[in-house]
Amino acid sequence: MEERTGTGDIKTNSVKALLVDPADPKALEKVSTVLEEEGAGSVDIVGVLTTHHHEDHAGGNDIVVKAISSASIYGGKPKDGPPRVRAVTNLVADGDEISLGDSIKIKCLATPCHTQDSICYYVTDGDQKAVFTGDTLFQGGCGRFFEGTPEEMHSSLSYLGQLPDDTIVYNGHEYTRGNLKFAKTVEPMNDALSRLEQLCDSNEITTGKSTIGDEKQWNVFMRLDIPAIRQATGETDAAAVMGKLRELKNAM
C-alpha cells in the first residue's frame, strides 16, 4: 500500500518552523506529539510551504490558519486563472526567496506539470541543502501529468537536476518500491538500482534518504538520454521519451 510520508517541518535554533504540505487536519497535533517525544520544547510555527493545491497536500492549511491566525501560507498559482491553494496568503513564483530565522534560506522553484501551480522549495542552512518536491520528483519517479505535458515535466526535472548533487530530496508520497519495479523493466542493467533496492529494503519510509545526485543515477525520468531507456520507449526525442515512460508507468 502506498502512503503519505507525513508532515515535514524545518526548524531553526530560534525555534521557528514552517510546516510543509500539512494535508492531515490533525497535523498540528501530530507535530506537537513528535516535538514532545523528541524533547524539542516549544516551537513557534510561523507558516506553511504548500507544494501544490491538491487536497492531499493543502488540505490542512485551513486548520493551521484557524489555530494560528498570523501564519503565512505560501503557495504558487497557475499562469492563467486564480490561485487554487487552500487558504493561501503569500503567493510565490519562480525565484522568490523566503527566510526562516537567522540562517535558513528557502528558494521557490516553479515546476509546472503535475499541477500548474507546483512549487518546489530549495532550502539551505549553511552547508546543509534539501528540496521539498511535492508530487514533481519522487525517489525513482515523478508525478503524473495531470495539468501539464511531457515537455513541462522534462523541463521541471531538469531544473531540479541543476541543484547541487548533495541536496537531500523530500518528496510527497511513498512510491519508491513501485518506481524501483518500473525502473527494472526499463533499465535493468543500471547498477545504481541495486542501491535503490537496498534503500527500500532498509527503510519503510524512504523520503529524505536520497539526494539529487542519487536521482540522476537511478531515476529513469531524469535519464532520458540513456540508450537503454530510449530503446525501451522506442523514442529518441527527450519529451517523447518522457511521455512514453509516463504512459508505461501508468499502465503498470
Side-chain angles (χ1 to χ4, degrees), residues 136-145 150 153-158 178-180 182-183 186-187 190 215-226 229 233 238-250 252:
T136 296
L137 171 65
F138 298 124
Q139 266 82 11
C142 70
R144 291 176 182 255
F145 309 165
M153 184 57 79
H154 174 44
S155 177
S156 292
L157 294 183
S158 296
N179 292 336
L180 171 63
F182 176 64
V186 175
E187 195 184 10
N190 183 354
E215 294 305 317
K216 289 192 290 189
Q217 292 180 20
W218 65 43
N219 190 324
V220 295
F221 293 93
M222 298 184 78
R223 296 169 57 79
L224 306 183
D225 60 342
I226 300 300
I229 295 175
T233 60
V241 175
M242 175 68 77
K244 188 62 177 182
L245 284 174
R246 187 68 260 175
E247 179 184 327
L248 292 170
K249 179 64 167 64
N250 292 349
M252 280 194 67

Side-chain angles (χ1 to χ4, degrees), residues 177 180 192-203 206:
R177 288 161 183 80
L180 171 63
L193 294 180
S194 63
R195 292 195 295 110
L196 182 57
E197 187 164 27
Q198 290 174 0
L199 184 70
C200 291
D201 291 343
S202 303
N203 299 276
T206 60

Side-chain angles (χ1 to χ4, degrees), residues 15-53:
V15 293
K16 292 184 181 294
L18 288 166
L19 301 181
V20 181
D21 285 354
D24 191 334
K26 296 183 179 180
L28 288 174
E29 296 177 28
K30 291 184 175 182
V31 169
S32 296
T33 299
V34 170
L35 292 173
E36 184 176 342
E37 291 174 350
E38 294 183 353
S42 177
V43 171
D44 180 17
I45 295 173
V46 297
V48 170
L49 301 178
T50 312
T51 61
H52 61 292
H53 71 268

Side-chain angles (χ1 to χ4, degrees), residues 17 20 39 60 70 75 78 83 85 90 93 117 124 128 133 143 162 169-170 175 189 219 224-225 234 240 249:
V20 181
S70 61
V85 171
N90 295 62
D117 59 5
T124 58
Q128 299 180 74
T133 61
Q162 294 174 20
V169 176
Y170 291 93
Y175 294 160
M189 302 306 292
N219 190 324
L224 306 183
D225 60 342
K249 179 64 167 64

Side-chain angles (χ1 to χ4, degrees), residues 123-152:
V123 183
T124 58
D125 184 1
D127 293 334
Q128 299 180 74
K129 305 179 237 359
V131 61
F132 292 85
T133 61
D135 286 0
T136 296
L137 171 65
F138 298 124
Q139 266 82 11
C142 70
R144 291 176 182 255
F145 309 165
F146 287 134
E147 298 180 7
T149 65
E151 288 85 356
E152 286 180 311

Side-chain angles (χ1 to χ4, degrees), residues 18 49 72 74-75 90-101 103-110 119-124 159 163:
L18 288 166
L49 301 178
S72 297
Y74 296 93
N90 295 62
L91 290 173
V92 295
D94 186 57
D96 286 351
E97 295 189 355
I98 303 165
S99 295
L100 180 63
S103 60
I104 291 182
K105 304 298 180 185
I106 304 163
K107 186 173 183 179
C108 303
L109 309 176
I119 296 286
C120 294
Y121 296 95
Y122 175 55
V123 183
T124 58
Y159 191 16
L163 296 175

